[in-house]
């Protein structure tokens, strides 16, 4: 089967029945598999399938080296149960279209065929049943009418088989025809490697086990014991065990029909319409979609009637309510040969771009479509949307990605938001463009090279502007830098903080700016110091004054230097960083040399008297009481001394002398 039936391999397929009520779908499966797909008591009593039924068939290749396992989904044919039919045909590989020879195709047959086409099913095996009731001419007439109907919907009829479930005639021809048709199914490698997706079509409680769900694994692989998510609902669970066709398994692959025993971590009931995932999926509520029309449908009537009325959307096993509005004018539709609209849902849909859906509207209306964008962002106006849609409709996702980023605020898109734009098959485009540096990652965001450069230039221009402003105001703290938060808000407004941090990282690494804790500085710090008048001459002058005077008031220093108070304070701060001077008791300053000399004086007093009084300290260093008290406060603050009732004790000895014990 196109590279799938390798030696000792098992290949899984899912096939759905389709057809009008009472044309023999269930009887056919019962005769073919020996399994009665009608599981409900009501179905057995009435002889009418009202919900999904299931059966399976296991086939070996001629040499016994490979096994094909086919899971059958028996869907109801009555129009009243159409929503159950829609839940059963999602993710199937092929369909068995059952047509009774004594009636031929009926309205429900036509509707089922249309739904198969709208959901992207390509191949159909036509089974003409009840041939024991009519002549051969009538049998051929029924088959011809059915084939004509399939051609109308561009469905390929891989073969037609004439059978009677009563006499068993023709049943032995179905399996070879089925296998021949399944050979043309596309290779499932991509489905195996894709994220897990299993739409839940049945939920029940089994005594001694708990919650059990059933469904077809459309994508990915599952392992017993692994943790999973059930969405919508954000429910966490663990797989306790799995069965496929009645046999316990430890690993499941795309295409398998499964029954899964779940251990739920939240006490909430599950239901059909939810789905099983491993990784968090894409959630859609306002999705943009292309609508598909089949031959003979009146597009103009659809354009006029569909907006405004409530619709029912079907995807996987989910059924959701919503409304449609068109995003194109009639002229645009005629030019593009594509009708695009927005579907607003009342509850979220879990789906990926590129996936198919069906919509029911009015009493009998059925229309299908393909999801183009899973979640339309508020900033994506109709004007911005049109060029993006043109590239998506061409399947040029490389160009679509560039357009999308160009329209995003600040040209930044969250990585997880791109799941709503890129189908699973196109996500390699993002990886390759990141690898080739056509796109740049900034934490959890993606941007273009040109947008990154523009953002960096905005930040640097704003940093210079804020620095120049601080220079004009002669800020005493400007040499420490500009607050990063102030810079972020001023330059880029509400941009995400993690993006700004990554942006600053690239700027610093490129050598255009530097960081000092939570501050940013331009690289020309020496020029900045000169602009502030805080050069080496002023530092030398202040240091000389402090070394001549063991302690001075800062405002007195400014007067002696003929400088502004703010400039003097900034110079002292630079000398402090260089460990040449320090601020004493907020209003005073001393050189490091003077502070060490004062500390040594404390040591001498302590050696002599075992206590330090302010008067002794004042006399020892030869300054006024004002400066002596300022220095003692400094030593108290730095835990060099500690105050007692009337004096101080020495806690830290000076480097030159140690107090005796």
């Amino acid at each position: 089967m196109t590279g799938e039936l390798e030696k000792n391999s098992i290949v899984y397929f899912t096939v759905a029945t389709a057809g009008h009520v009472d044309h023999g779908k269930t009887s056919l499966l019962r005769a073919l598999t020996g399994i009665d797909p009608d599981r409900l008591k009501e179905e057995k009593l009435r002889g009418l399938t009202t919900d999904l039924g299931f059966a399976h068939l296991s086939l070996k290749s001629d040499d016994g080296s490979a096994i094909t396992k086919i899971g059958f989904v028996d869907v109801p044919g009555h129009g009243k149960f159409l929503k159950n039919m829609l839940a059963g045909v999602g993710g199937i590989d092929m369909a068995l279209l059952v047509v009774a020879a004594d009636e031929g195709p009926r309205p429900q047959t036509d509707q089922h065929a249309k739904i198969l086409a709208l959901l992207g099913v390509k191949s159909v095996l036509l089974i003409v049943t009840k041939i024991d009731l009519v002549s051969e001419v009538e049998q051929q007439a029924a088959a011809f009418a059915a084939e004509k109907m399939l051609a109308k919907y561009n469905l390929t009829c891989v073969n037609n088989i004439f059978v009677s479930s009563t006499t068993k005639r023709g049943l032995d021809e179905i399996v070879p025809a089925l296998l021949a048709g399944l050979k043309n199914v596309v290779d499932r490698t991509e489905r195996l490697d894709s994220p897990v997706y299993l739409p839940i079509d049945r939920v029940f409680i089994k005594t001694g086990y708990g919650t059990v769900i059933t469904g077809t694994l459309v994508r990915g692989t599952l392992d017993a014991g692994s943790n999973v998510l059930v969405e919508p609902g954000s429910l966490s669970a663990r797989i306790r065990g799995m069965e496929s066709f009645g046999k316990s398994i430890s690993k499941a692959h795309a295409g398998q029909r499964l029954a899964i025993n779940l251990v739920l971590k939240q006490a909430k009931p599950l239901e059909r319409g939810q789905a099983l995932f491993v990784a968090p999926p894409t959630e859609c509520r306002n999705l943009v979609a292309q609508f598909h029309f089949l031959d003979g449908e009146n597009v103009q009537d659809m354009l006029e009637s569909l907006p405004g009325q409530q619709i029912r959307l079907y995807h996987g096993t989910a059924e959701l309510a919503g409304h449609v509005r068109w995003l194109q004018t009639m002229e645009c539709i005629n030019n593009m040969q594509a009708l695009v609209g927005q579907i607003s849902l009342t509850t979220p849909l879990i789906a990926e771009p590129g996936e198919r859906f069906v919509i029911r509207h009015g009493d009998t209306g059925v229309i299908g479509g393909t999801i183009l964008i899973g979640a339309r962002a508020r900033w994506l106006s109709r004007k911005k949307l049109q060029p993006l849609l043109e590239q998506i409709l061409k399947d040029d996702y490389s160009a679509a990605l560039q357009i999308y980023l160009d329209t995003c605020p600040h040209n930044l898109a969250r990585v997880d938001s791109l799941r709503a734009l890129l189908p699973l098959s196109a996500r390699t485009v993002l990886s390759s463009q990141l690898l080739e540096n056509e796109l740049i990652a900034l934490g959890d965001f993606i941007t273009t090279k040109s947008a990154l450069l523009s953002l960096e230039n905005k930040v640097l221009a704003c940093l210079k502007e804020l620095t120049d402003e601080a220079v004009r105001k002669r800020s005493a703290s400007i040499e420490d830098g500009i607050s990063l938060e102030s810079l972020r808000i001023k330059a880029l407004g509400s941009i995400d903080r993690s993006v700004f941090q990554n942006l600053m990282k690239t700027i610093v690494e490129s050598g255009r700016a530097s960081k000092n804790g939570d501050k940013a500085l331009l690289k020309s710090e020496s020029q900045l110091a000169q602009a502030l008048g805080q050069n080496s001459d002023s530092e030398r002058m202040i240091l000389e004054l402090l070394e001549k005077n063991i302690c001075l008031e800062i405002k007195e220093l400014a007067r002696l230097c003929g400088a502004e108070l703010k400039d003097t304070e900034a110079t002292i701060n630079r000398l402090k960083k260089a460990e040449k001077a320090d601020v004493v008791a907020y209003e005073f300053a001393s050189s490091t040399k003077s502070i060490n000399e004062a500390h040594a004086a404390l040591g001498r007093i302590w050696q002599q008297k075992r206590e330090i009084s302010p008067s002794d300290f004042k006399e020892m260093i030869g300054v006024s009481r004002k400066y002596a008290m300022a220095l003692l406060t400094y030593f108290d603050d730095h835990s060099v001394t500690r105050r007692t009732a009337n004096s101080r004790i020495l806690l830290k000895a000076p480097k030159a002398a140690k107090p005796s014990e």
Side-chain angles (χ1 to χ4, degrees):
M1 247 157 260
T2 317
E4 289 195 27
L5 286 181
E6 300 174 358
K7 190 173 181 180
N8 298 321
S9 64
I10 302 177
V11 186
Y12 300 91
F13 293 101
T14 303
V15 176
T17 63
H20 195 70
V21 63
D22 202 31
H23 275 207
K25 298 185 294 297
T26 303
S27 299
L28 175 68
L29 286 186
R30 191 183 299 118
L32 188 63
T33 65
I35 298 170
D36 186 357
D38 281 347
R39 56 186 173 80
L40 302 178
K41 182 179 179 181
E42 178 189 1
E43 293 177 326
K44 295 181 184 295
L45 289 173
R46 296 172 59 188
L48 175 70
T49 301
T50 61
D51 203 349
L52 302 177
F54 306 99
H56 60 270
L57 200 60
S58 184
L59 306 168
K60 287 187 177 181
S61 59
D62 293 338
D63 61 1
S65 62
I67 299 173
T68 301
K69 292 195 174 186
I70 303 173
F72 294 96
V73 182
D74 187 28
V75 301
H78 198 288
K80 178 181 176 182
F81 307 113
L82 183 60
K83 70 176 184 179
N84 290 337
M85 183 269 176
L86 284 162
V89 296
I92 67 168
D93 297 301
M94 200 167 77
L96 292 180
L97 184 68
V98 179
V99 177
D102 60 338
E103 290 190 344
R106 303 292 291 166
Q108 205 67 51
T109 317
D110 187 90
Q111 192 172 46
H112 282 199
K114 180 179 180 179
I115 289 170
L116 291 172
L118 291 173
L119 286 174
V121 176
K122 304 295 184 185
S123 303
V124 174
L125 177 60
L126 175 61
I127 309 293
V128 181
T129 59
K130 303 184 180 182
I131 60 174
D132 54 309
L133 301 180
V134 297
S135 67
E136 187 173 342
V137 173
E138 291 173 293
Q139 297 170 25
Q140 293 296 334
F144 177 78
E147 289 175 1
K148 184 178 179 181
M149 179 198 67
L150 291 174
K152 179 177 70 172
Y153 296 127
N154 295 317
L155 291 167
T156 301
C157 181
V158 298
N159 208 335
N160 50 30
I161 310 293
F162 298 87
V163 304
S164 169
S165 298
T166 304
T167 65
K168 310 300 182 186
R169 178 185 164 191
L171 288 176
D172 57 348
E173 299 177 34
I174 295 177
V175 170
L178 196 57
L179 289 174
L182 290 172
K183 285 181 181 178
N184 297 317
V185 172
V186 295
D187 183 77
R188 314 197 139 77
T189 304
E190 184 178 301
R191 288 169 59 183
L192 289 169
D193 296 337
S194 297
V196 166
Y197 171 51
L198 183 145
I200 298 172
D201 53 40
R202 188 180 169 210
V203 181
F204 58 93
I205 304 297
K206 187 172 182 180
T207 304
Y209 291 88
T211 302
V212 178
I213 64 167
T214 67
T216 300
L217 184 57
V218 177
R219 296 193 306 262
T221 58
L222 277 174
D223 296 291
S226 59
N227 293 319
V228 292
L229 298 171
V230 179
E231 297 285 356
S234 301
L235 302 177
S236 302
R238 179 175 57 83
I239 297 177
R240 177 182 284 163
M242 297 188 292
E243 285 188 3
S244 182
F245 307 126
K247 292 185 178 180
S248 179
I249 59 173
S250 59
K251 193 176 190 69
H253 303 273
Q256 273 185 280
R257 180 80 199 159
L258 299 174
I260 302 176
N261 181 203
L262 291 178
V263 179
L264 293 168
K265 298 180 181 179
Q266 297 102 330
K268 293 183 180 180
L270 305 184
E271 60 184 8
R272 176 186 293 175
Q274 291 177 300
L276 206 66
F277 303 90
V278 172
T282 304
E283 184 177 288
C284 311
R285 193 184 289 267
N286 293 303
L287 56 98
V288 178
Q290 177 185 2
F291 291 80
H292 304 303
F293 291 92
L294 303 173
D295 293 342
E297 292 188 309
N298 191 321
V299 177
Q300 188 62 48
D301 285 351
M302 188 71 66
L303 283 170
E304 294 173 357
S305 63
L306 194 55
Q309 63 174 295
Q310 189 177 67
I311 56 100
R312 307 295 296 180
L313 182 143
Y314 299 86
H315 172 275
T317 58
E319 177 189 9
L320 305 99
H323 293 86
V324 173
R325 66 183 179 92
W326 307 126
L327 296 175
Q328 297 162 293
T329 62
M330 193 64 201
E331 180 183 358
C332 188
I333 292 166
N334 292 334
N335 290 337
M336 296 178 66
Q337 297 298 309
L339 175 59
V340 178
Q342 177 171 313
I343 305 173
S344 299
L345 300 170
T346 55
T347 53
L349 167 69
I350 306 300
E352 297 285 352
E355 294 181 342
R356 298 262 192 150
F357 61 86
V358 168
I359 283 177
R360 291 177 64 195
H361 59 95
D363 295 329
T364 58
V366 177
I367 184 175
T370 301
I371 299 171
L372 301 180
I373 301 174
R376 181 185 177 187
R378 291 182 180 180
W379 46 263
L380 199 55
S381 66
R382 185 174 297 199
K383 183 178 179 181
K384 292 178 179 179
L385 190 60
Q386 291 306 322
L388 178 63
L389 289 175
E390 288 179 16
Q391 300 306 321
I392 292 175
L393 290 169
K394 293 176 186 176
D395 287 331
D396 188 348
Y397 282 95
S398 179
L401 189 57
Q402 293 287 335
I403 292 172
Y404 184 75
L405 288 169
D406 287 343
T407 59
C408 289
H410 298 299
N411 306 114
L412 290 161
R414 282 190 177 276
V415 176
D416 54 9
S417 75
L418 295 177
R419 292 204 307 260
L421 176 73
L422 299 172
L424 293 171
S425 59
R427 291 182 186 171
T428 53
V429 171
L430 176 60
S431 302
S432 63
Q433 290 195 6
L434 284 170
L435 191 64
E436 295 168 8
N437 287 325
E438 293 177 20
L439 297 179
I440 308 296
L442 288 175
D444 295 331
F445 289 78
I446 299 292
T447 191
T448 61
K449 287 177 69 175
S450 59
L452 176 64
L453 182 59
S454 176
L455 289 170
E456 290 175 348
N457 288 339
K458 283 182 181 179
V459 171
L460 287 169
C462 186
L463 180 57
K464 184 178 186 306
E465 181 184 340
L466 290 173
T467 301
D468 290 345
E469 182 181 351
V471 168
R472 286 194 301 273
K473 292 181 178 179
R474 309 189 73 80
S475 170
S477 60
I478 186 59
E479 72 278 6
D480 294 330
I482 301 296
S483 162
L484 287 172
E485 183 65 5
S486 299
L487 180 60
R488 179 184 73 87
I489 295 171
K490 176 78 173 176
L492 302 172
S494 60
I495 196 169
D496 187 271
R497 284 184 172 84
S498 66
V499 172
F500 183 72
Q501 289 168 2
N502 280 280
L503 196 60
M504 283 303 303
K505 183 180 178 183
T506 63
I507 291 173
V508 170
E509 288 176 350
S510 65
R512 289 170 290 171
S514 61
K515 281 178 66 179
N516 177 22
D518 61 349
K519 302 285 184 70
L521 299 95
L522 288 172
K523 272 299 185 180
S524 55
E525 291 181 64
S526 60
Q527 295 175 0
L528 176 61
Q530 289 177 1
L532 289 169
Q534 296 167 341
N535 52 35
S536 56
D537 290 339
S538 63
E539 291 177 9
R540 186 165 48 252
M541 184 184 300
I542 286 176
L543 191 58
E544 287 176 356
L545 285 168
L546 290 176
E547 287 181 349
K548 289 179 180 177
N549 302 274
I550 198 164
C551 186
L552 281 175
E553 283 185 273
I554 296 175
K555 64 181 181 181
E556 177 66 11
L557 271 173
R559 186 186 68 77
L560 292 172
C561 292
E564 294 288 337
L565 179 61
K566 286 185 177 180
D567 294 346
T568 304
E569 289 173 339
T571 304
I572 293 170
N573 283 332
R574 286 203 306 280
L575 290 169
K576 179 179 178 180
K577 288 180 181 178
E579 298 183 352
K580 294 180 179 179
D582 207 345
V583 176
V584 174
Y586 304 104
E587 298 176 359
F588 303 83
S590 290
S591 69
T592 302
K593 178 182 177 183
S594 296
I595 290 171
N596 290 337
E597 288 176 355
H599 193 176
L602 291 174
R604 290 194 296 273
I605 296 170
W606 179 257
Q607 287 275 1
Q608 296 169 7
K609 300 186 176 182
R610 311 306 290 176
E611 65 174 0
I612 302 168
S613 68
S615 58
D616 289 339
F617 179 63
K618 177 177 73 72
E619 290 178 8
M620 178 69 74
I621 61 174
V623 296
S624 68
R625 181 177 176 81
K626 176 175 69 173
Y627 294 125
M629 293 308 297
L631 284 166
L632 285 174
T633 300
Y634 173 86
F635 289 127
D636 290 342
D637 292 341
H638 288 75
S639 299
V640 174
T641 56
R642 186 174 69 212
R643 292 186 64 176
T644 59
N646 299 309
S647 62
R648 284 170 171 77
I649 61 174
L650 187 64
L651 300 177
K652 293 181 182 178
K655 294 180 180 179
K658 293 183 180 181
S660 59
E661 296 297 323

